[in-house]
Amino acid sequence: DADVTQTPRNRITKTGKRIMLECSQTKGHDRMYWYRQDPGLGLRLIYYSFDVKDINKGEISDGYSVSRQAQAKFSLSLESAIPNQTALYFCATSSGVSGDSPLHFGNGTRLTVT
Amino acid sequence: RKEVEQDPGPFNVPEGATVAFNCTYSNSASQSFFWYRQDCRKEPKLLMSVYSSGNEDGRFTAQLNRASQYISLLIRDSKLSDSATYLCVVNIRGGATNKLIFGTGTLLAVQP
């Protein structure tokens, strides 16, 4: 089983709908992140959390919200989806022991907003 | 200017060839550096960290040049399975947290 699991893998939704993307991890890491990936733009950080109930905005948090109710789970919500939120979304974890701690990514959620 | 820049490629090379990618970064506060590999429609995976003294892992060698602000990845004896996008990642120290900046990736296609 994957250490970082995202659900769903694919989702098509309509403009204005509320969407939740789930992420769970078995690595025991405190730090969790949500990124989106768009062609030509690289991965961009949406939100991150260093511990339960700790929430921090990334560089593109507008239109998104997150919840970290347990160490192993970090969910991303789009309150009212819009077409430019169509992207590949990745959850990631890190141990945060040092600045060199690598990121461990989930298998991604491909979201299409029509 | 982007904080991290990579040549998007594609780099089309025959099996067995040696290929090198460079990645430039603009922030002198950059602290640590990584290469990630991403297969098509898959998640990025850490390939190797890049140390000041340079480091090697099998056919892969990573170098850091702080004076010129670039890192490089050299792949020797390319295999078909090396075909992927290689992401340069820079960790910038800032305040209480570090910030990871991802390049847009360099696409490598190894031809039989």
Side-chain angles (χ1 to χ4, degrees), chain A residues 3-72:
Chain A
D3 294 325
V4 185
T5 303
Q6 292 182 232
T7 56
R9 293 296 310 277
N10 292 281
R11 181 73 183 267
I12 301 173
T13 191
K14 294 183 185 297
T15 297
K17 294 292 187 182
R18 184 178 188 275
I19 295 295
M20 180 179 287
L21 309 184
E22 305 273 8
C23 177
S24 62
Q25 53 118 345
T26 58
K27 299 190 75 67
H29 288 167
D30 287 328
R31 300 188 174 197
M32 298 188 74
Y33 310 80
W34 275 104
Y35 286 88
R36 66 176 279 177
Q37 187 174 36
D38 299 273
L41 291 177
L43 282 115
R44 292 180 293 166
L45 182 63
I46 305 171
Y47 270 96
Y48 62 99
S49 168
F50 285 172
D51 203 348
V52 176
K53 302 293 178 72
D54 175 66
I55 301 294
N56 305 281
K57 291 184 178 181
E59 60 181 298
I60 53 162
S61 58
D62 287 349
Y64 302 95
S65 63
V66 291
S67 175
R68 182 90 185 273
Q69 297 295 328
Q71 189 207 36

Side-chain angles (χ1 to χ4, degrees), chain A residues 9 31 35 37 40-44 48 50 59 88 90 98-108 110, chain B residues 2 31-34 36 38 41-46 49 51 87 91 96-104:
Chain A
R9 293 296 310 277
R31 300 188 174 197
Y35 286 88
Q37 187 174 36
L41 291 177
L43 282 115
R44 292 180 293 166
Y48 62 99
F50 285 172
E59 60 181 298
L88 183 55
F90 287 107
S98 74
D100 290 346
S101 301
L103 292 174
H104 301 265
F105 287 89
N107 44 15
R110 187 167 296 277
Chain B
K2 290 181 180 178
Q31 177 187 15
S32 50
F33 309 87
F34 309 90
Y36 279 73
Q38 185 174 23
R41 297 177 182 272
K42 297 286 185 68
E43 72 273 24
K45 293 184 178 179
L46 179 67
S49 301
Y51 303 122
L87 306 176
N91 185 13
T97 63
N98 295 324
K99 179 181 175 183
L100 282 173
I101 307 295
F102 284 78
T104 54

Side-chain angles (χ1 to χ4, degrees), chain B residues 80-96:
Chain B
L80 294 175
S81 58
D82 293 334
S83 297
T85 297
Y86 291 83
L87 306 176
C88 168
V89 184
V90 174
N91 185 13
I92 299 173
R93 176 179 287 166

